[in-house]
Amino acid sequence: MIKDDLKIAVVGIPGKWSTEVLADEIEAQTGFRWVIDIEKVVADLSEPSVRYEGRCLCQLDGIIIKKISQTYSPTVIDRLEILRFVEKCGVQIFSKPQEIIRLVDRMSCTVSLAKADIPMPPTIITEDLDAAFDHVEKFGEAILKPLFSTKARGMEVLCCDDGKKAVKQRLKDYYDKQGFFYLQKKLALPGKDMGLVFLGGEYRGAYARVSGSDSWNTTIHSGGKYAEAQPSDDIIDMAYRAQSQFDLSYTTVDIAETEDGPVCFEVSAFGGFKGAHEGLGLNMAKEYADYVIRTLSTAS
């Protein structure tokens, strides 16, 4: 199949930069453009069909999942299950929905990394309030993280110096909203962390997120800035092992250097383009489009 015959859609957020630049690159090479808002898709499992804007997704050659929601929640898994059904119709999806499902839930991602002996911050997962409080005291400072979140949204810093009553009340309030306690020791970081970029399992470069404010995290959402990074071979190897636990077409691995050595925070379910663009001058939207088109053309 020649690339001019390929029909490749992008599942993302219409109007958002990363979604649109990827759709631009696909259109430039194939002449076909379709951005799918997954919230408006209708799946009829008896027909079977999955439709959006009057067209059936099952008639596509490929789908790239760039974004499934502005924020993470269990709803994301339900949306991915619909795409898993589209995959059953014979449409190749980048990355595989079942692999993304393993990443949007922080618990699943953490357990997979721990099983592979990837260094991470000391982490406690429990439903027991007293045990959670004991570990806040043990850590001194801890970061309470929702199981479904992105860009540090919903995360809270707990400090034992705030007093037992105050910390326990915050934990109780959190549990009433979120359920599980996912606690990580707050580490002393050098004001930056790194995103290591992988396409088709191959390392493409690294960018840094540099804190631009007094925020405890370095996310762009909290004022951080992108810059080029030069990770060591050991850090690149760690990131490679981390992402290899998941069969992803494109991802970034978040790693920070600490006094006790580098630690991995997460493997991204989707992987962004802006960090590579602003920090490295790499057009990963084009490279990703090239990769998908080459994979589909070879398969045919």
Side-chain angles (χ1 to χ4, degrees):
M1 181 179 293
I2 59 175
K3 64 183 181 181
D4 289 346
D5 294 329
L6 290 172
K7 289 182 171 53
I8 304 167
V10 176
V11 168
I13 310 296
K16 288 295 184 179
W17 180 81
S18 60
T19 296
E20 297 296 342
V21 294
L22 183 55
D24 288 345
E25 295 293 346
I26 293 294
E27 183 181 20
Q29 296 196 49
T30 67
F32 182 85
R33 182 190 187 91
W34 195 19
V35 174
I36 296 171
D37 182 350
I38 194 67
E39 291 185 34
K40 298 180 180 179
V41 163
V42 177
D44 184 338
L45 305 190
S46 59
E47 190 173 327
S49 70
V50 180
R51 294 188 171 275
Y52 175 65
E53 294 181 333
R55 291 189 284 180
C56 184
L57 277 64
C58 294
Q59 296 173 355
L60 293 164
D61 298 299
I63 293 174
I64 306 174
I65 305 175
K66 185 62 200 78
K67 205 73 174 174
I68 207 78
S69 177
Q70 292 276 34
T71 58
Y72 288 2
S73 72
T75 302
V76 169
I77 294 177
D78 298 327
R79 293 173 182 171
L80 289 164
E81 288 292 351
I82 291 175
L83 292 174
R84 202 160 66 89
F85 180 74
V86 175
E87 195 175 36
K88 181 181 180 297
C89 297
V91 180
Q92 192 160 349
I93 300 183
F94 306 82
S95 296
K96 294 181 176 67
Q98 68 265 27
E99 295 299 313
I100 298 177
I101 287 171
R102 297 175 59 207
L103 287 166
V104 294
D105 181 343
R106 180 170 275 110
M107 176 97 71
S108 176
C109 177
T110 300
V111 169
S112 296
L113 294 176
K115 287 177 66 177
D117 295 322
I118 306 296
M120 292 181 291
T123 303
I124 296 298
I125 303 167
T126 183
E127 294 181 75
D128 187 280
L129 189 149
D130 290 331
F133 174 77
D134 289 344
H135 280 88
V136 174
E137 285 199 315
K138 177 182 177 181
F139 292 155
E141 282 189 293
I143 301 172
L144 187 58
K145 299 184 175 183
L147 294 182
F148 295 90
S149 75
T150 181
K151 301 185 188 300
R153 293 185 179 95
M155 296 184 185
E156 299 182 21
V157 178
L158 302 179
C159 180
C160 64
D161 290 342
D162 292 338
K164 180 176 181 178
K165 183 177 180 180
V167 173
K168 276 205 168 184
Q169 186 61 51
R170 287 183 66 186
L171 286 168
K172 182 180 183 304
D173 291 344
Y174 185 89
Y175 184 81
D176 290 342
K177 294 183 296 183
Q178 300 282 355
F180 265 97
F181 298 114
Y182 180 108
L183 284 162
Q184 283 190 331
K185 182 178 180 180
K186 186 175 182 292
L187 303 178
L189 302 179
K192 66 177 183 180
D193 62 3
M194 292 176 283
L196 283 77
V197 181
F198 290 83
L199 177 62
E202 296 184 2
Y203 175 64
R204 293 293 295 115
Y207 58 86
R209 283 177 295 257
V210 183
S211 178
S213 66
D214 294 330
S215 174
W216 62 269
N217 69 75
T218 62
T219 64
I220 304 306
H221 180 71
S222 298
K225 304 296 182 184
Y226 292 119
E228 186 175 359
Q230 298 290 339
S232 67
D233 289 344
D234 287 344
I235 289 176
I236 295 172
D237 178 67
M238 177 195 296
Y240 177 82
R241 290 190 296 112
Q243 63 86 36
S244 67
Q245 305 309 307
F246 312 92
D247 186 10
L248 299 168
S249 304
Y250 179 72
T251 189
T252 53
V253 182
D254 291 347
I255 289 181
E257 297 181 271
T258 75
E259 294 178 351
D260 298 322
V263 295
C264 178
F265 287 114
E266 68 173 6
V267 177
S268 172
F270 305 102
F273 297 148
K274 192 160 285 187
H277 177 70
E278 295 185 7
L280 296 172
L282 287 177
N283 184 352
M284 291 310 302
K286 182 180 186 308
E287 293 200 26
Y288 196 4
D290 291 344
Y291 170 81
V292 170
I293 290 168
R294 185 168 60 249
T295 301
L296 291 172
S297 299
T298 302
S300 63

